Amino acid sequence: MRPAGFGWIGWLLAGALLAAGGSLLIALRAYDEQRARFETDARIVHRVLSQRVVQHDAILATLALLQPALEGRDAPEQRLTALYPQVLRVLRRTGSEPWSGVTVAEAAALAAAETASRGAARPALGPVELPRGRYWLVRAAEPSSYALQIDLAALPPVGEGPVAAPAAAAVALAHGGQRFVLQPGRSADAADAADTAGGAAAPASAAGASAWLAGPRLAFAKALAAESQPFEVRVGERLPWAQWPWAWMLAWSVLSALAVGTAAAWLRQRAEQRRTRELLRLGQVSRLNAMGELAAGIAHELNQPLTAVVASTAAARRLLADEGTEALPQARDAMTQAAQQARRAADVLARLRRLVEPAGGSGGPQATVPLATLLEAALDLRQPELDRAAVRASVRCDPPDLRVSADAVALEQIVHNLIGNAAQALQQVPAAERRLELVAAAEGARGVVTVRDSGPGIAPEALPRLFEPFFTTREGGLGLGLSLCETLAGGMGGRLSGGNAPGGRGAVFRLELPRAGGSETADAAR
Ligand code: ADP
């Protein structure tokens, strides 16, 4: 009835949910921290790069501004390349002469950029060759215009200077479908992250899956804060799985397993305690009931003899009063009956007292009791009752002089009770089938009395409770007989057990007692 299986699965699920939920929160927190750190780093990279390229605008502006002062000197602008390593070449064009020192195509592109610069009144981007990291920046001015060829590879590394970009991040500049990698990052994955950050073609799904195995990707893309050089800064980084807070997640999982386990154990223990308390309460109630039954039983047992005592003494008194000394013989009979009934009442009380006496003794003295004689006598006592019930009874003793060490009265009472129980059970089978066997036999150092009947046997549900005080299946039964017998047997150093005849019909009770002097074991020990 108890949903034990479901209970455990439920607890297991709860534990798994708690562990998974907590671990997920830890992972999300770690991811958020990394994401915030990455965003900050990427913004710093963006600012540093923007500041560096804005320098090129400033160089061109300075050249344009100072050119009247430089006029006539020996091309001092060429010394810029020594000052700024990323400035590869400086070109100057005056009047209507074309851009020289470059290919025809480049000269045309520079001229176009010069026109754009003049229109926008700021430097303009000339030919761009991003895979090699090179591009031209042109500034139109009077009388001469200037062009700078920039080599991105010669820019100071982003990782240098007061703010260092983390080496794990890949940094690239992109423009018109081209890109130049400024910093490859920790792995090819990071470069790939930088590559795709700006919305370039996403990798094929298989590559995507394998990239995912390397860890989640963080990406940042933003145009440089320099109007003249509109390159997009792309920063990418992977968070390798190995660096995730596994130890914390494991610790949390272990903790939640422990917590759920403890909660389950605690609840189980509480349920157990509640059941024990309930059983105890029921036990108390049934004990109270039993006390009530005992009182009712005593009242019932005593009522009959006491009524008889009252009736007999009243009759004797009436006889004596009415007829004087003539009625003496009848009065004596009535008084004898009263005395017998009073003894019966005393007997009932004595039996009850024996039951409640502490174990450890049968009450009477231990003596050597010949079993054959005792069984015959006990059967004799019950004979009229057995005859009435048409029970065929037999006694067998092997060896015939088998003796046990016992309290004769207690032993007699046990056998008497067992015969009584058998007689009652035999009422339930046809008269022709009623048999009772009393057998005494030696078994090593013990003498064993077996009382076997051919009745219906003991009901399976009654078997484990046979010797329980007040357990009875008989209407009007007290349920004290067998309990008393067991107490008495134990008090004599013996043992009483009961069950059904193996293979046969009926009940078998077996009483074991220590053999009196001269037993086989005692002989062997000597
Ligand atoms: P009571 O005689 O008041 O029923 P007992 O202690 O003598 O109390 O017996 C307890 C119960 O054991 C009986 O009610 C009966 O169910 C069972 N029992 C005892 N002896 C026999 C027997 N020989 N055959 C079948 N059942 C028996």
Side-chain angles (χ1 to χ4, degrees):
M1 207 180 101
R2 216 157 57 93
F6 173 75
W8 280 113
I9 290 175
W11 282 113
L12 218 66
L13 271 178
L17 269 178
L18 193 65
S23 300
L24 192 69
L25 279 181
I26 293 174
L28 282 179
R29 220 186 108 87
Y31 179 79
D32 276 351
E33 272 173 17
Q34 288 296 320
R35 162 118 228 141
R37 195 254 324 137
F38 170 80
E39 289 278 343
T40 313
D41 289 346
R43 279 179 202 291
I44 290 170
V45 168
H46 175 264
R47 202 177 57 230
V48 169
L49 282 175
S50 298
Q51 282 164 358
R52 282 189 188 154
V53 297
V54 161
Q55 268 186 352
H56 307 145
D57 285 3
I59 293 169
L60 284 170
T62 312
L63 285 174
L65 196 72
L66 295 182
Q67 60 175 308
L70 303 174
E71 207 62 48
R73 304 207 181 189
D74 183 19
E77 73 271 7
Q78 293 306 324
R79 275 178 245 143
L80 277 171
T81 53
L83 214 59
Y84 297 98
Q86 75 268 34
V87 177
L88 271 187
R89 292 164 73 187
V90 184
L91 296 187
R92 179 176 165 209
R93 193 196 63 79
T94 314
S96 58
E97 69 190 40
W99 291 94
S100 59
V102 288
T103 62
V104 180
E106 276 176 334
L110 286 176
E114 190 183 348
T115 314
S117 166
R118 205 177 300 282
R122 59 161 172 79
L125 205 56
V128 177
E129 211 184 333
L130 264 194
R132 287 180 66 211
R134 297 190 176 175
Y135 66 92
W136 287 92
L137 196 60
V138 183
R139 164 96 202 199
E142 293 303 335
S144 304
S145 297
Y146 290 92
L148 298 181
Q149 190 184 26
I150 308 295
D151 180 13
L152 286 172
L155 272 181
V158 251
E160 264 177 23
V163 218
V171 183
L173 285 179
H175 181 73
Q178 302 179 348
R179 76 178 172 118
F180 179 74
V181 175
L182 287 165
Q183 175 176 292
R186 186 169 38 206
S187 65
D189 286 327
D192 158 68
D195 197 21
T196 53
S205 63
S210 75
W212 177 250
L213 283 181
R217 185 173 66 191
L218 299 170
F220 171 93
K222 194 176 177 189
L224 278 174
E227 270 184 289
S228 58
Q229 295 146 87
F231 303 131
E232 190 179 60
V233 181
R234 294 181 184 175
V235 186
E237 189 182 330
R238 276 196 189 277
L239 299 177
W241 292 118
Q243 284 178 15
W244 285 66
W246 297 113
W248 284 109
M249 294 196 253
L250 186 74
W252 169 259
S253 302
V254 169
L255 269 181
S256 33
L258 274 178
V260 168
T262 311
W266 181 71
L267 284 177
R268 240 170 85 96
Q269 198 186 4
R270 238 176 49 147
E272 204 65 50
Q273 281 171 352
R274 208 169 36 232
R275 201 159 52 232
T276 312
R277 267 203 308 275
E278 197 59 24
L279 278 176
L280 212 65
R281 197 182 62 79
L282 275 179
Q284 275 162 358
V285 168
S286 73
R287 229 185 1 257
L288 278 179
N289 288 343
M291 293 297 281
E293 262 176 58
L294 175 63
I298 295 171
H300 175 79
E301 293 276 312
L302 293 181
N303 195 40
Q304 207 190 344
L306 288 178
T307 312
V309 167
V310 170
S312 299
T313 46
R317 202 181 55 189
R318 203 172 46 245
L319 280 168
L320 287 172
D322 290 355
E323 300 173 29
T325 49
E326 274 182 33
L328 270 181
Q330 292 102 310
R332 195 170 49 235
D333 281 354
M335 292 311 286
T336 309
Q337 271 181 22
Q340 270 175 358
Q341 293 302 330
R343 256 201 301 280
R344 230 183 95 197
D347 247 17
V348 169
L349 288 177
R351 254 167 48 202
L352 281 169
R353 202 172 54 234
R354 284 221 177 100
L355 182 72
V356 295
E357 262 172 6
S362 59
Q366 293 283 108
T368 298
V369 183
L371 278 181
T373 323
L374 185 125
L375 295 184
E376 291 287 358
L379 201 60
D380 247 322
L381 260 179
R382 289 276 190 177
Q383 201 58 55
E385 189 189 337
L386 293 174
D387 283 344
R388 270 199 305 281
V391 175
R392 276 187 286 157
S394 65
V395 177
R396 211 169 63 232
C397 189
D398 184 26
D401 62 343
L402 180 59
R403 286 157 198 270
V404 289
S405 165
D407 167 9
V409 180
L411 180 51
E412 205 167 34
Q413 192 168 4
I414 296 173
V415 178
H416 190 75
N417 250 318
L418 293 179
I419 296 174
N421 276 355
Q424 268 153 7
L426 285 169
Q427 304 278 338
Q428 298 171 44
V429 297
E433 293 173 25
R434 297 175 187 163
R435 305 239 193 306
L436 174 63
E437 260 185 5
L438 304 186
V439 178
E443 275 186 28
R446 317 223 101 194
V448 179
V449 175
T450 314
V451 179
R452 178 180 182 151
D453 64 60
S454 60
I458 298 155
E461 66 275 9
L463 266 176
R465 305 186 56 196
L466 271 187
F467 298 100
E468 222 177 274
F470 308 117
F471 173 74
T472 179
T473 58
R474 281 193 308 114
E475 217 180 343
L478 251 185
L480 288 175
L482 285 178
S483 152
L484 174 64
C485 290
E486 192 191 35
T487 311
L488 291 175
M492 294 186 287
R495 208 172 80 86
L496 178 65
S497 56
N500 286 315
R505 215 171 100 173
V508 184
F509 285 86
R510 192 181 140 91
L511 172 65
E512 287 176 38
L513 288 166
R515 270 179 84 174
S519 76
E520 285 162 24
T521 320
D523 285 340
R526 235 176 262 141

